[in-house]
Amino acid sequence: DFCSDAISASTRSACRTKIIIFLILRIRLDLKIFKKQTRFSKLHEKKCESAGVLFSKFQKMKWAVGRYISPYEKIYEGEPSNKKIVDSYQAFWEAYEYFQCNIIYFEPKLRDDIYSFFKSVRGNIDMYAQFKEDYEHNKNHELCQNMRDLITKSDSLLDEISEKLELDFRKIIGNQ
């Protein structure tokens, strides 16, 4: 029958057109999804890299500060007397500068925790430097005790905050 063949042909043609439109839309959607996945993947990769590098700088800073405030670390012959404090400040500023340059990759809560960490470390270095300078001029028991208390507080603080930041950084890189 000519009429039914004509209707069938037009219906088939409309159906093919709809399938082609659907496939084109599907390809466009897949392309958008791929672009977003790629962007997310690169962002995640940068977050992981930033967390790893910053954590490494934290550890170097922690060691430098630990050497500076340790009563057991001695200055070796030929080293300037201020080498340990210079090393501490240098490690501090390297970590802080890296953090500032990569701050956008850290979530607001973690960013605030890192700021708190830097503030605490810097405050303890400055306070210890002042105690040490005062002690050089006035060797008394109270200053010595203040230095020991600060060393204990600093060690505890550095360990506590380092552990917390390590957990946060491990979450970022998916290694909990």
Side-chain angles (χ1 to χ4, degrees), residues 16-28:
R16 282 189 199 120
T17 302
K18 288 180 181 182
I19 290 173
I20 291 171
I21 291 171
F22 170 78
L23 291 174
I24 290 171
L25 291 174
R26 177 61 194 233
I27 290 170
R28 285 182 181 172

Side-chain angles (χ1 to χ4, degrees), residues 94-161:
E94 283 178 14
Y96 189 76
E97 178 183 24
Y98 184 84
F99 171 63
Q100 287 296 315
C101 291
N102 293 279
I103 197 168
I104 197 160
Y105 299 110
F106 298 99
E107 301 296 327
K109 182 174 178 344
L110 179 57
R111 178 202 62 216
D112 293 345
D113 289 345
I114 293 169
Y115 269 128
S116 175
F117 177 73
F118 278 122
K119 186 177 177 183
S120 297
V121 169
R122 174 73 192 271
N124 286 352
I125 293 172
D126 291 345
M127 195 180 314
Y128 186 81
Q130 186 61 53
F131 284 155
K132 193 168 185 175
E133 186 177 314
D134 292 348
Y135 188 74
E136 296 292 322
H137 300 296
N138 181 15
K139 297 187 189 278
N140 70 42
H141 179 71
E142 184 181 345
L143 276 172
C144 187
Q145 187 58 46
N146 287 343
M147 289 170 70
R148 280 194 207 109
D149 291 346
L150 184 62
I151 290 168
T152 303
K153 177 184 163 196
S154 294
D155 284 346
S156 163
L157 176 77
L158 286 171
D159 287 342
E160 178 184 321
I161 294 175

Side-chain angles (χ1 to χ4, degrees), residues 2-171:
F2 179 74
C3 281
S4 66
D5 286 341
I7 294 173
S8 294
S10 69
T11 303
R12 280 191 297 236
S13 177
C15 189
R16 282 189 199 120
T17 302
K18 288 180 181 182
I19 290 173
I20 291 171
I21 291 171
F22 170 78
L23 291 174
I24 290 171
L25 291 174
R26 177 61 194 233
I27 290 170
R28 285 182 181 172
L29 180 63
D30 287 346
L31 184 60
K32 284 182 181 183
I33 290 171
F34 176 74
K35 285 179 181 179
K36 285 186 187 248
Q37 286 174 333
T38 302
R39 190 173 343 161
F40 176 78
S41 177
K42 287 180 181 179
L43 175 62
H44 185 70
E45 186 177 315
K46 184 63 180 169
K47 282 174 124 178
C48 291
E49 177 188 336
S50 296
V53 170
L54 185 59
F55 189 75
S56 173
K57 290 183 181 291
F58 277 160
Q59 294 306 310
K60 289 176 183 176
M61 178 180 61
K62 183 179 168 185
W63 296 328
V65 170
R67 282 191 301 273
Y68 172 56
I69 65 175
S70 172
Y72 306 109
E73 286 283 332
K74 303 291 181 210
I75 294 176
Y76 295 100
E77 192 175 322
E79 285 184 338
S81 61
N82 67 345
K83 181 181 181 348
K84 291 194 294 182
I85 191 169
V86 168
D87 289 349
S88 293
Y89 278 118
Q90 182 178 350
F92 174 87
W93 287 115
E94 283 178 14
Y96 189 76
E97 178 183 24
Y98 184 84
F99 171 63
Q100 287 296 315
C101 291
N102 293 279
I103 197 168
I104 197 160
Y105 299 110
F106 298 99
E107 301 296 327
K109 182 174 178 344
L110 179 57
R111 178 202 62 216
D112 293 345
D113 289 345
I114 293 169
Y115 269 128
S116 175
F117 177 73
F118 278 122
K119 186 177 177 183
S120 297
V121 169
R122 174 73 192 271
N124 286 352
I125 293 172
D126 291 345
M127 195 180 314
Y128 186 81
Q130 186 61 53
F131 284 155
K132 193 168 185 175
E133 186 177 314
D134 292 348
Y135 188 74
E136 296 292 322
H137 300 296
N138 181 15
K139 297 187 189 278
N140 70 42
H141 179 71
E142 184 181 345
L143 276 172
C144 187
Q145 187 58 46
N146 287 343
M147 289 170 70
R148 280 194 207 109
D149 291 346
L150 184 62
I151 290 168
T152 303
K153 177 184 163 196
S154 294
D155 284 346
S156 163
L157 176 77
L158 286 171
D159 287 342
E160 178 184 321
I161 294 175
S162 290
E163 287 173 15
K164 183 188 179 324
L165 291 175
E166 180 180 354
L167 289 174
D168 288 340
F169 288 161
R170 285 183 181 280
K171 286 178 188 171

